[in-house]
Amino acid sequence: MSFTAALCEHVAQTPFAQLPSSTVRKAQVFILDSLGVAIAGRRGAFRDELLGCVQGFGVGADARVWVTGEALPAAHAAMVNAYQIHNQEFDCVHESAVVHPMAVILAALLAHAERDRRVSGQALLLSVVLGVDVAATLGISARSRLKFFRPAQCGALGATAALMRLRGADAGQIRNALGVCLGQLSGTMQAHLEGVPLLPMQIAFNARNALVSADLAAAGLRGPHDALEGEFGYFKLFESDTELSGLAEAFGRNWRIEQVSHKPYPSGRATHGGIDALQRLNQQHRLDWREIAQVTLFAPPLICQLVDRPVVPHMSANYAKLCFPFVAARCLLSGYVEIDDFAASSLNDRATLQLAERISVVRDQNPDVNALSPQRLVVELRSGARFELAIEHVLGSPKNPLSNSQHLAKFYKNAQAEGIDADSVCAAVDALANAPTCGALLDRMCAKTTR
């Protein structure tokens, strides 16, 4: 059986009862985390402009925009909600795949679930797990340097497969839908390089595209059936080098959602190892940022590709979140990294910009072009003192996870900042396995409390 056939059979045939309790729990954890960062994304740059544009694209009331509750056609609601998940660089990531698996998948699935009120909470949980299996496995197969924005493409293919499972499709129908999706895949790393809002828009485009792909495939549109492994399929078109050995055999055994990492800070994941190291060194040595002569992060090539960029005049928040010198400077000045560290006042803060000039990233000898760790941070003081710390596993990863209290604290802070009843959303997520529909969860995501 080919890899594509095995993937489609896995999505079509896996029953909820096969999922380990730990897998179901991780699905709930990262659904809640993703909803929390989507609530925070209500304040993201270009969000209101996007909503205004989308409201002019067409009329419909299939699904709602989270927090503010505007009713839209399902594909358009998915587009805005996916943008909210990713626009603060705060959503979870599968590090080995270099894929943010939940942004496209959850936005698309919940838009469909609101449109089709028959979708149960159990069906949602299963589809999330299977969608993440697809998206992360595609990312794990890559051996080439990022050139397309992998979270967008892998997310769209994972979401399309998961949506077809929600519709009760068989393996052949899922395979056909993946072919329809191939014709709509989009996303370039140029947006990441320049740090512009098009980066989260590429997540938004692909959430919309996944819903459109599933709808068209269900209506009978035929797509290419070698969408992944064909001469011009995903692997050869988007990745110049892949390795599929053993990946199909892992279906049903290695549940990829259990390998997903939290992002404790609202900045590119490639900045998190350095932030973690700075905080730990600060706890040990009480660093005074005024006494710092140089900070150097020694890291794999992917870290350099993603966040080794200089501070520049009039930086956007999108650019600054992907600039390790800036993010590290904010961490040293405030002791942590928060959403407000990317407000205009921080972006133009003289002390931050001057300190950032003394912070650099140096490529190490790691041969893996997709590795995010290990990393090593060196802090040198004007006095000549030198402190060093190695980071094997970045905070939030499965081998260095957030505690449940840290996970909930992140969600509650994001929810309460926008007046969403955090307790009720948590309760709805916890109840999904026994919920006849997803309606209660969706209602609570659009019900602001009185502040």
Side-chain angles (χ1 to χ4, degrees):
M1 182 182 291
S2 70
F3 171 81
T4 303
L7 179 148
C8 293
E9 286 289 342
H10 173 59
V11 174
Q13 298 298 328
T14 299
F16 183 82
Q18 186 178 331
L19 301 183
S21 59
S22 59
T23 302
V24 174
R25 179 57 191 152
K26 284 297 184 184
Q28 291 172 311
V29 163
F30 287 113
I31 287 171
L32 186 68
D33 181 72
S34 301
L35 293 175
V37 300
I39 294 168
R42 159 68 184 86
R43 290 177 281 159
F46 195 71
R47 184 272 187 186
D48 290 343
E49 292 85 346
L50 170 61
L51 176 59
C53 287
V54 166
Q55 287 176 312
F57 288 171
V59 177
D62 296 328
R64 287 167 289 176
V65 174
W66 297 332
V67 183
T68 50
E70 294 85 357
L72 298 170
H76 297 162
M79 191 176 185
V80 178
N81 290 336
Y83 186 81
Q84 289 187 192
I85 291 175
H86 194 60
N87 67 18
Q88 298 281 17
E89 286 284 349
F90 215 178
D91 53 315
C92 61
V93 61
H94 191 291
E95 294 186 7
S96 297
V98 198
V99 166
H100 297 268
M102 293 294 284
V104 175
I105 291 169
L106 187 63
L109 289 178
L110 281 176
H112 176 75
E114 189 161 15
R115 176 177 62 179
D116 181 354
R117 298 288 181 146
R118 298 168 298 176
V119 173
S120 70
Q122 188 176 103
L124 175 71
L125 289 166
L126 176 61
S127 295
V128 164
V129 170
L130 295 173
V132 171
D133 266 6
V134 172
T137 300
L138 294 177
I140 289 167
S141 74
R143 297 293 181 269
S144 48
R145 179 176 181 265
L146 280 169
K147 53 182 177 178
F148 292 96
F149 187 48
R150 196 176 292 154
Q153 290 94 20
C154 292
L157 291 164
T160 299
L163 286 163
M164 294 302 288
R165 174 58 194 259
L166 279 184
R167 290 173 172 272
D170 62 26
Q173 293 167 323
I174 293 170
R175 186 165 187 165
N176 182 63
L178 293 176
V180 177
C181 183
L182 175 66
Q184 299 190 79
L185 293 183
S186 63
T188 166
M189 285 298 289
Q190 190 64 32
H192 189 287
L193 181 67
E194 297 185 22
V196 293
L198 181 66
L199 186 67
M201 272 305 308
Q202 293 176 157
I203 293 288
F205 292 147
N206 282 281
R208 174 199 63 193
N209 293 349
L211 265 168
V212 170
S213 297
D215 286 354
L216 291 172
L221 178 65
R222 180 174 173 82
H225 279 208
D226 273 335
L228 300 181
E229 298 168 89
E231 181 180 358
F232 301 105
Y234 171 78
F235 291 123
K236 292 184 179 177
L237 184 63
F238 290 93
E239 302 287 357
S240 56
D241 185 19
T242 56
E243 178 54 65
L244 301 179
S245 298
L247 292 180
E249 291 75 14
F251 290 136
R253 294 202 303 271
N254 291 343
W255 301 99
R256 301 301 180 185
I257 199 160
E258 296 203 40
Q259 303 162 1
V260 170
S261 297
H262 272 103
K263 289 182 67 179
Y265 317 110
S267 58
R269 180 59 172 172
T271 68
H272 285 206
I275 298 171
D276 186 15
L278 277 175
Q279 289 191 308
R280 289 162 62 180
L281 286 175
N282 191 37
Q283 290 170 356
Q284 295 170 17
H285 305 288
R286 296 188 178 182
L287 300 174
D288 183 341
W289 65 269
R290 289 172 288 263
E291 298 302 316
I292 290 176
Q294 180 67 39
V295 175
T296 307
L297 179 66
F298 296 90
L302 181 61
I303 301 292
C304 298
Q305 179 188 350
L306 296 179
V307 298
D308 179 16
R309 59 186 67 194
V311 292
V312 295
H314 313 297
M315 285 184 297
S316 67
N318 298 87
Y319 181 98
K321 287 171 180 283
L322 303 170
C323 172
F324 178 71
F326 179 86
V327 175
R330 290 306 306 167
C331 180
L332 285 165
L333 284 160
S334 64
Y336 203 72
V337 179
E338 307 272 12
I339 289 174
D340 288 344
D341 283 303
F342 303 95
S345 58
S346 298
L347 294 174
N348 298 307
D349 178 66
R350 173 180 279 188
T352 301
L353 299 179
Q354 290 178 343
L355 179 57
E357 294 290 347
R358 306 198 295 274
I359 300 172
S360 61
V361 183
V362 175
R363 177 174 175 169
D364 65 17
Q365 300 303 308
N366 194 322
D368 186 349
V369 297
N370 290 305
L372 289 169
S373 58
Q375 303 175 36
R376 181 168 59 92
L377 189 83
V378 176
V379 176
E380 300 170 84
L381 303 185
R382 299 184 192 279
S383 65
R386 186 177 188 274
F387 307 114
E388 180 174 335
L389 187 67
I391 298 293
E392 292 293 327
H393 305 292
V394 179
L395 180 64
S397 69
K399 293 186 178 180
N400 185 16
L402 295 190
S403 66
N404 190 56
S405 62
Q406 289 173 313
H407 153 66
L408 290 175
K410 175 186 173 183
F411 172 77
Y412 270 74
K413 185 171 186 177
N414 286 331
Q416 291 169 349
E418 286 298 320
I420 294 293
D421 185 343
D423 288 337
S424 69
V425 177
C426 284
V429 171
D430 286 342
L432 277 175
N434 298 307
T437 74
C438 301
L441 174 59
L442 290 161
D443 288 343
R444 290 163 187 175
M445 279 296 292
C446 299
K448 299 186 74 166
T449 60
T450 301
R451 288 185 286 177

